[in-house]
Amino acid sequence: MGKLLRLILIKFDHFLSKLQGVKTFTHNPECILRYKVIKRDGKVLIELHLWNEHIPQVPPDGTDLFWGKRFQKLLFNSLKELVIFIENSPFKDVEWFIGEIAFFFKDQDKVVRFLKKIGFEVYPLEGRNMFQKFFIFLQNCYSFLLIYAYNPNSLKGKDFWRGKRYKLFIRKDIIRDAYEETQKVYKT
């Protein structure tokens, strides 16, 4: 039953991504990001989406330093590849990339600090009224189910009820600068 449910969730995720206009910008199997062009207040923004199929599988024993460093390298390289793509597209004037992410573990502050350290502005999404809080709850349900579908080992040690959603913002020039710095570390 678990495999069937995961397959249904993956098919639904593909359908929803297509419906919402989430696109790939590379055929690189090491890229862990996709994007969507959105307009807000007359400005064009690039919305970041994780490419779930490309996120490294978490080993049965959970994440370790090797997994974390691999994910970090894939994230930096994916951001760099996205910036290069955007700068050579009709959206080259876009300055901001945005996204949302949910975490379901106790030490979320560590990941938030890491995201801030690499240049993201990170804001918790809490909802101002019952409708917004319920919508965030539904988004967290969907995020948790996607983790179950694509990378079930990564649920080890996670608790749905600790789920917290964050809005992420990063400027294109910060990505470019951060990548140049990481090139010194990740020479391959």
Side-chain angles (χ1 to χ4, degrees):
M1 181 65 175
K3 285 185 180 183
L4 178 61
L5 177 58
R6 285 197 292 273
L7 179 64
I8 291 168
L9 289 167
I10 288 169
K11 294 292 184 188
F12 182 71
D13 182 48
H14 291 169
F15 167 76
L16 198 56
S17 292
K18 187 176 263 193
L19 183 69
Q20 292 180 336
V22 177
K23 299 177 181 175
T24 61
F25 55 90
T26 182
H27 295 292
N28 179 356
E30 299 254 304
C31 181
I32 62 171
L33 293 174
R34 298 178 297 163
Y35 79 102
K36 175 181 173 182
V37 177
I38 60 171
K39 292 182 181 177
R40 237 186 234 158
D41 301 325
K43 291 187 178 191
V44 176
L45 304 167
I46 300 297
E47 187 175 82
L48 303 173
H49 289 260
L50 288 173
W51 197 344
N52 296 310
E53 297 91 328
H54 292 191
I55 303 292
Q57 290 294 306
V58 170
D61 293 334
T63 58
D64 56 15
L65 185 59
F66 176 76
W67 187 94
K69 285 295 185 185
R70 174 154 169 67
F71 182 85
Q72 182 180 5
K73 181 179 180 181
L74 294 175
L75 177 62
F76 284 138
N77 287 338
S78 298
L79 286 168
K80 176 220 161 210
E81 208 169 331
L82 179 59
V83 166
I84 291 169
F85 170 79
I86 294 300
E87 288 179 340
N88 293 293
S89 78
F91 312 109
K92 63 183 173 202
D93 294 330
V94 166
E95 290 301 319
W96 285 93
F97 294 72
I98 65 171
E100 274 187 31
I101 195 159
F103 298 125
F104 299 97
F105 47 86
K106 186 168 50 170
D107 298 328
Q108 296 177 18
D109 290 343
K110 290 179 184 178
V111 177
V112 169
R113 280 195 306 274
F114 165 74
L115 290 169
K116 288 179 177 180
K117 184 177 179 181
I118 64 171
F120 281 93
E121 295 179 25
V122 183
Y123 302 97
L125 289 173
E126 297 177 358
R128 292 181 221 150
N129 57 48
M130 288 306 289
F131 176 76
Q132 288 176 343
K133 289 178 184 190
F134 183 67
F135 185 69
I136 290 169
F137 170 78
L138 290 178
Q139 288 177 305
N140 284 348
C141 289
Y142 187 63
S143 294
F144 200 82
L145 287 170
L146 287 179
I147 295 168
Y148 170 74
Y150 286 103
N151 210 334
N153 287 337
S154 70
L155 287 177
K156 189 175 187 174
K158 295 199 169 83
D159 179 357
F160 174 78
W161 300 109
R162 290 185 191 265
K164 194 166 183 182
R165 225 169 171 72
Y166 297 88
K167 192 74 167 176
L168 308 174
F169 299 86
I170 190 166
R171 288 192 334 265
K172 184 171 59 175
D173 60 316
I174 290 176
I175 296 171
R176 199 178 308 110
D177 294 346
Y179 178 74
E180 289 170 3
E181 285 296 313
T182 59
Q183 278 298 90
K184 299 169 189 168
V185 176
Y186 294 119
K187 294 257 185 206
T188 54

